[in-house]
Amino acid sequence: MIMRGIIMITEMLSLTFMQRAIAASLMVAILGGYFGAFVVQRGLSFLGNGLAHAAFGGVALGILLRQEPLYMAVPFTLIVSLLIVWLKDHTLLGSDTVIGILFALSMAMGSIFLSMTPGYAGDAFGYLFGSLLSVTKADLWVTAGVMVLALGTIPAWGRWASATFDRELAMAEGMPCQRDDYVLAAALAVTTVVSMKVLGITLVAAFLVIPSASARLVSRTFASMTLLGMVFAVVGSLLGLVVSYSVDWPSGPSIILVQTAMFAACMLVGRRG
Amino acid sequence: MSASAAIVALDVSVQFGDYRALRDIRFVLPAGGFLAVIGPNGAGKSTLIRALLGLVKLTSGRLQVLGRDPAQLEKNQVGYVPQIKTLDRQFPALPLELVVSGLRGTWPWRIRPAERAAAMAALKRVGMEELADRPVAKLSGGELQRVYLARAIVRHPALVVLDEPATGMDVVGEADMYRLLESYRAEHHAAVAMVTHDWEVARHHATHVLLLDRRQIHFGPPEEVLTDAHLRHAYSHMGHHHSMEVSPAHDHAGHHHDH
């Protein structure tokens, strides 16, 4: 039994497409776990959902223009994310309303772009639920680029944490909260896009939420919640990939199932502790 | 202008677009004084606080806090105690971290030993050292307000600014807080500027009262300012101009009026 497991994992590691899927998952797990702490504490899961659907519009545009889909999806989703924050700041509408509108618009545009693409027979199912086979070399480069950009926001962690805890106080002490909202939304946008290949559009938002929510249940400080969220995201993604490979389930749902099991475990530990 | 005064306001006016939040405010709070700012909703109390913290540009006039332009103040010169209603109680935070965030300016990832010592000293001052590691979700309103006070005084500021600190507190907690504030003031010869709705608190604790209704109605010792005639004057204007001129658009521009 153990031998069979070792053989399977060795085999899995020797396959190029699996190596790519693992590398991509590791990077998006670190990103998702890090920004997920803010998503959970600021109640931004609907934003994550909206951005994932915006990414679909960008992917479809890429397919229509016969470009690498992620090259289109990154700027497209970035623009939608900034537009969401801008509309929220400059109208009387709440963010859920603004997200709801742009979410639908992006999906509508994406569907129209696909319908305009002659002879498109791509794997829509793969985009919806994630696919191990779909991670390309270009995806890895884009993801690595996003990782580098995300590293640039680490010095802002303390400021973002303060503003998450008490925004009025942070503003009263002169922190640039409105500017930071744009940066955080942009960071979430690019994280969402690069997570899409492995997780699928429908499950990206959950991927941003579940590891950090699990970490919240067993953390007393925001620093430990951030760190544990990243650990849970990485462990959950890797185990999810093993499940996906061994029973041939789509990668997104496999990862989410493992992460949810970890969440349940944290519920039990958290209740006792 | 005397550098020994805590606050000097010379014809201070603040305007947001067409909205005149404050006009021609003129007073001097001596060093070590306790100022209570009183007025109806929308009277410009929060705008004045933000001006003292250096966050609002004056349209005209001059404001000096501890002898300096408020925007030039060092972070350790002024301690600020906000209303406690805006925080996220579900945020994983410990009182110790909250106080260190006041010391450092941003939320701490790790707490250094020197920071811990300073924060514990401040928490001890407000009688919260035993609850330093209890999640803020489990603190009462009064306990939390004391933590915020510890956060404000951790750097021993010469001026403590408070925005309706008694919001959500019971009578005992409130009395405790004013006692702590008084003892800090006496020990450090610090000044206090506090927005309050409570005339009795102003009467008992303040050395000076500023009665505001966007204009200055009166400034002076409490017994002079807090007369029925002055209060009636300040509060009689509620209704017509506030409801007409305070539109949500102002809030969206990032300017906050009183609640």
Side-chain angles (χ1 to χ4, degrees):
Chain A
M1 181 72 194
I2 294 171
M3 252 340 260
R4 257 174 58 195
I6 291 172
I7 290 167
M8 188 201 80
I9 287 176
T10 323
E11 180 192 281
M12 189 179 127
L13 290 174
S14 68
L15 296 166
T16 314
F17 80 90
M18 275 311 291
Q19 288 167 357
R20 284 193 197 137
I22 290 168
S25 305
L26 266 177
M27 289 193 280
V28 300
I30 290 168
L31 285 168
Y34 181 76
F35 292 115
F38 296 102
V39 172
V40 167
Q41 286 306 134
R42 292 188 177 204
L44 298 178
S45 88
F46 190 56
L47 175 62
N49 231 324
L51 291 174
H53 289 77
F56 171 73
V59 165
L61 182 63
I63 292 169
L64 174 67
L65 299 178
R66 307 208 177 280
Q67 301 286 323
E68 181 62 42
L70 276 202
Y71 294 170
M72 289 289 128
V74 170
F76 189 91
T77 314
L78 205 55
I79 290 168
V80 171
S81 71
L82 299 178
L83 202 58
I84 287 170
V85 183
W86 190 86
L87 282 171
K88 192 196 74 182
D89 279 351
H90 291 83
T91 64
L92 297 174
L93 301 172
S95 57
D96 61 333
T97 306
V98 174
I99 294 165
I101 293 167
L102 291 174
F103 178 136
L105 175 67
S106 304
M107 281 302 276
M109 284 167 69
S111 313
I112 290 167
F113 293 152
L114 281 189
S115 76
M116 284 162 63
T117 309
Y120 174 69
D123 184 11
F125 191 80
Y127 276 111
L128 285 178
F129 299 105
S131 157
L132 291 178
L133 295 166
S134 68
V135 180
T136 64
K137 226 175 188 170
D139 295 339
L140 286 181
W141 281 114
V142 174
T143 310
V146 166
M147 281 279 284
V148 171
L149 287 179
L151 284 178
T153 73
I154 287 177
W157 182 88
R159 215 167 59 219
W160 290 359
S162 290
T164 306
F165 175 64
D166 192 339
R167 188 183 171 87
E168 293 279 322
L169 177 60
M171 286 185 40
E173 293 185 344
M175 289 185 203
C177 294
Q178 279 178 320
R179 195 194 69 196
D180 283 349
D181 285 351
Y182 284 96
V183 179
L184 182 57
L188 283 176
V190 290
T191 299
T192 305
V193 175
V194 296
S195 308
M196 194 175 51
K197 279 283 180 79
V198 180
L199 270 304
I201 290 161
T202 49
L203 299 176
V204 169
F207 176 72
L208 285 173
V209 166
I210 299 171
S212 302
S214 313
R216 174 68 189 94
L217 294 174
V218 292
S219 297
R220 286 158 55 81
T221 70
F222 191 60
S224 64
M225 173 179 168
T226 307
L227 210 55
L228 262 185
M230 290 163 75
V231 171
F232 288 167
V234 166
V235 173
S237 301
L238 294 183
L239 286 178
L241 286 185
V242 173
V243 171
S244 170
Y245 176 79
S246 55
V247 291
D248 199 19
W249 287 347
S251 50
S254 308
I255 290 171
I256 296 298
L257 280 180
V258 173
Q259 286 184 343
T260 311
M262 292 168 75
F263 177 81
C266 287
M267 284 282 283
L268 291 173
V269 174
R271 274 171 78 108
R272 231 179 289 148
Chain B
M1 282 198 190
S2 153
S4 68
I7 303 172
V8 179
L10 281 181
D11 300 324
V12 168
S13 295
V14 175
Q15 193 158 339
F16 302 125
D18 293 337
Y19 180 76
R20 301 181 75 174
L22 285 175
R23 56 188 132 148
D24 302 331
I25 307 301
R26 190 185 186 93
F27 68 88
V28 175
L29 180 72
F34 188 137
L35 173 71
V37 182
I38 288 199
N41 291 333
K45 302 190 294 287
S46 293
T47 302
L48 182 62
I49 293 260
R50 288 172 59 81
L52 292 175
L53 297 172
L55 296 168
V56 170
K57 247 186 121 159
L58 306 188
T59 312
S60 61
R62 277 184 77 182
L63 186 62
Q64 284 210 326
V65 174
L66 306 171
R68 290 189 181 197
D69 181 322
Q72 310 293 321
L73 285 165
E74 302 288 332
K75 292 223 164 183
N76 60 1
Q77 287 186 288
V78 178
Y80 175 59
V81 181
Q83 298 191 19
I84 58 166
K85 63 183 180 194
T86 58
L87 80 162
D88 174 12
R89 286 262 196 172
Q90 303 309 318
F91 189 88
L94 308 174
L96 183 65
E97 291 182 296
L98 186 50
V99 177
V100 171
S101 81
L103 202 55
R104 202 186 276 194
T106 58
W107 202 262
W109 178 269
R110 286 184 65 185
I111 296 173
R112 290 186 278 271
E115 291 175 322
R116 171 179 289 270
M120 286 307 287
L123 283 166
K124 189 168 182 195
R125 227 205 129 92
V126 301
M128 287 291 294
E129 75 272 31
E130 279 170 20
L131 299 181
D133 283 322
R134 171 184 282 219
V136 295
K138 292 183 179 167
L139 299 183
S140 72
E143 288 166 341
L144 200 51
Q145 191 60 272
R146 281 198 274 169
V147 174
Y148 269 109
L149 184 60
R151 182 183 185 278
I153 63 174
V154 67
R155 290 197 276 201
H156 308 297
L159 173 68
V160 182
V161 176
L162 303 95
D163 191 357
E164 294 186 39
T167 311
M169 284 176 78
D170 60 26
V171 185
V172 180
E174 206 183 322
D176 265 356
M177 195 195 55
Y178 291 123
R179 190 177 46 72
L180 292 166
L181 200 55
E182 288 287 6
S183 82
Y184 176 78
R185 196 181 137 229
E187 196 175 306
H188 289 82
H189 197 60
V192 170
M194 177 174 82
V195 166
T196 179
H197 277 298
D198 192 331
W199 306 345
E200 286 309 310
V201 164
R203 230 187 276 279
H204 278 108
H205 297 279
T207 58
H208 295 75
V209 174
L210 173 65
L211 187 55
L212 268 188
D213 186 15
R214 298 202 285 162
R215 296 165 296 114
Q216 180 166 327
I217 307 290
H218 214 90
F219 174 81
E223 60 278 10
E224 247 175 56
V225 176
L226 296 170
T227 63
D228 287 349
H230 285 146
L231 292 172
R232 211 174 304 125
H233 181 64
Y235 286 81
S236 66
H237 293 275
M238 292 181 71
H240 46 272
H241 63 222
H242 298 296
S243 55
M244 297 300 291
E245 292 178 27
V246 182
S247 73
H250 288 111
D251 285 330
H252 278 267
H255 311 307
H256 287 264
H257 303 297
D258 295 309
H259 303 283

